[in-house]
Amino acid sequence: MIPVTQTKVVVRNSEDKIVVYGNCFAAVVASLLEVPIDQVPNVEIFFDTNFDYYWLMNAWLYQRYGLKIVPAPEFEIFHEGFKEGERYDSEANSIRLKLGDEFYLGSGVSRRGVYHICIYQEGELVWDPHP
């Protein structure tokens, strides 16, 4: 994994409506593939539409690399209800061990109040593409 920083961030207009979406999704894909971000589809242009941008990213990944992004809700246990001192319960730890040191994507609403995606490894944040 080579960290790639996103080149677009969310921009809101005077009515607080998002007029530009960030390209964190392209940045984490570029990071994992170790390619420049301009070689990854800019799916953020579809974020405010009904178009399935995950389908587009997966079609591109499969055609070019034979890969696809697969949702894995079983790994959400790493991050839900986290409290200092309660790092992992036994179920979460056994799931974490199955992943070994593989990277995975985690997404949700950031402190900035926008949907964001980052790269994790062994339950820890390893790359946040936001500048």
Side-chain angles (χ1 to χ4, degrees), residues 42-91:
N42 57 337
V43 296
E44 73 279 353
I45 64 173
F46 298 111
F47 286 177
D48 199 21
T49 72
N50 289 327
F51 187 78
D52 186 352
Y53 60 88
Y54 265 92
W55 174 88
L56 176 62
M57 185 65 81
N58 273 336
W60 178 82
L61 283 167
Y62 188 77
Q63 177 194 31
R64 193 142 184 196
Y65 299 96
L67 300 171
K68 67 180 180 175
I69 296 170
V70 178
E74 65 270 22
F75 297 118
E76 290 175 3
I77 196 165
F78 289 166
H79 307 285
E80 290 189 17
F82 172 78
K83 294 179 185 154
E84 235 14 85
E86 296 178 19
R87 197 69 178 163
Y88 303 107
D89 63 25
S90 60
E91 181 183 2

Side-chain angles (χ1 to χ4, degrees), residues 6-25:
Q6 64 188 85
T7 56
K8 298 178 192 172
V9 295
V10 168
V11 176
R12 296 178 185 271
N13 65 15
S14 60
E15 289 139 16
D16 205 33
K17 182 180 181 328
I18 296 175
V19 293
V20 175
Y21 285 90
N23 63 346
C24 58
F25 190 26

Side-chain angles (χ1 to χ4, degrees), residues 93-122:
N93 195 47
S94 68
I95 292 170
R96 180 181 63 82
L97 291 173
K98 287 179 191 175
L99 261 181
D101 63 351
E102 295 293 322
F103 295 109
Y104 64 95
L105 303 176
S107 60
V109 178
S110 75
R111 286 182 243 159
R112 295 175 303 281
V114 296
Y115 196 74
H116 190 55
I117 192 164
C118 297
I119 299 173
Y120 288 80
Q121 183 181 45
E122 297 180 349

